[in-house]
Amino acid sequence: MRTFLSGLATIVAVVAIVLAVPAVWISERIVSDDGFSSLIEPVGHDQAVKDYLAGQITDEIASRTSISGAESVVRPLANAYTNSSQFPADFADVAKQQHQWLFDEASDPNAPMQLDITPMVNRVLASARVGVTVSGSITIPVSSGDTGLHAGAYHRAGEQITTISKVSVIVGIIAAVIALLVARRRGTVIAWLGIAAVIAGVVCWAGANLYGTYVKNDLSSSENSAKPVADVVIDTISQELQWTGVISMLVGAGIFVFGVVVRLVFGGRR
């Protein structure tokens, strides 16, 4: 009876761990507003993103003035702003708009995804000390509702993933404790828990590659897409999830080795 209960609890723990690692990461780093902002803020240091947004800011300001050669005056100011310490935080706020477009419940699923760069434009104008600000919204289209992505596309999925992450962690901990308490060979249970972590890492790695390919394909079909920004954001998310997978695999391998050592040292007793 002890062997059966331990085996059943081990299986439950393994399944829970495989689900928990990617689900917790997605919940905390993608679904969460704060987690997403902290994940994306370093993207503001990418030179391609700086150059792209500096160009967009320059174009928007120049298009709103009749002064000849305005671009040559505005561009250095825009470059100075995008290379300032303030820009990464501002960029995270702009990228958060994409997050809210995808994860918040949408009243209009066909609403286009746009980046509102009005605060950025006003910062550049403020640095020029011309006493002028933009009152209306200045937006950059990223995607429209006729692509695979639409407003609120991930709202329900985000809620489900958050629930899965919480349940899988609780179930995994309880099942692992039960398995270890009743097991005749605890080293074997520990080794299986390590294997579960390795599998979870592989899932994260594979999921990161699939995510990057899927989202890039969706965005590539939209016109006037802010691809220099979107591509870097997607790559950053994929790379961190891949790194999470690597850590999970390394930790799992260590746990597996520890379990094998315990099994060999204690033999039939543990």
Side-chain angles (χ1 to χ4, degrees):
M1 184 62 182
R2 284 183 61 184
T3 301
F4 172 77
L5 182 58
S6 175
L8 179 61
T10 300
I11 292 173
V12 172
V14 167
V15 173
I17 290 171
V18 172
L19 288 174
V21 174
V24 168
W25 185 88
I26 294 172
S27 177
E28 295 298 317
R29 300 293 279 168
I30 301 297
V31 179
S32 167
D33 276 348
D34 292 337
F36 183 77
S37 293
S38 65
L39 171 65
I40 293 304
E41 184 169 339
V43 175
H45 295 284
D46 186 276
Q47 194 59 48
V49 173
K50 292 179 180 180
D51 291 343
Y52 175 79
L53 285 172
Q56 290 294 316
I57 292 170
T58 300
D59 291 344
E60 292 296 338
I61 294 177
S63 67
R64 285 166 168 75
T65 179
S66 59
I67 300 175
S68 176
E71 294 91 342
S72 61
V73 176
V74 175
R75 186 58 192 248
L77 297 174
N79 286 338
Y81 163 66
T82 56
N83 284 288
S84 70
S85 59
Q86 178 65 42
F87 178 73
D90 287 349
F91 172 77
D93 289 338
V94 170
K96 198 172 181 178
Q97 297 169 26
Q98 287 182 296
H99 179 273
Q100 293 169 342
W101 185 83
L102 287 169
F103 286 94
D104 289 357
E105 189 171 7
S107 57
D108 179 12
N110 294 319
M113 180 193 291
Q114 298 177 326
L115 300 182
D116 186 347
I117 63 170
T118 308
M120 292 184 171
V121 171
N122 283 329
R123 286 189 185 278
V124 173
L125 290 174
S127 68
R129 299 179 180 179
V130 294
V132 177
T133 59
V134 175
S135 56
S137 295
I138 299 176
T139 59
I140 303 173
V142 178
S143 178
S144 59
D146 59 355
T147 67
L149 292 178
H150 58 83
Y154 298 154
H155 174 67
R156 180 170 296 181
E159 291 182 335
Q160 292 173 340
I161 289 173
T162 298
T163 300
I164 291 172
S165 68
K166 293 177 181 178
V167 172
S168 59
V169 168
I170 294 172
V171 171
I173 292 174
I174 293 175
V177 170
I178 292 174
L180 289 170
L181 288 176
V182 302
R184 297 181 185 277
R185 298 175 178 177
R186 290 172 183 159
T188 301
V189 174
I190 294 173
W192 273 109
L193 296 178
I195 292 173
V198 171
I199 296 173
V202 173
V203 170
C204 289
W205 181 273
N209 290 325
L210 290 174
Y211 163 82
T213 301
Y214 172 76
V215 178
K216 282 186 176 181
N217 286 341
D218 275 328
L219 290 179
S220 66
S221 64
S222 60
E223 297 180 357
N224 300 318
S225 174
K227 286 186 64 60
V229 176
D231 286 348
V232 177
V233 169
I234 293 167
D235 289 341
T236 298
I237 293 173
S238 296
Q239 289 167 9
E240 177 156 322
L241 182 53
Q242 286 178 336
W243 181 237
T244 299
V246 170
I247 294 175
S248 181
M249 286 186 278
L250 292 175
V251 171
I255 294 173
F256 173 78
V257 171
F258 176 71
V260 171
V261 170
V262 171
R263 181 75 178 86
L264 293 175
V265 171
F266 292 99
R269 296 174 294 166
R270 290 289 186 273

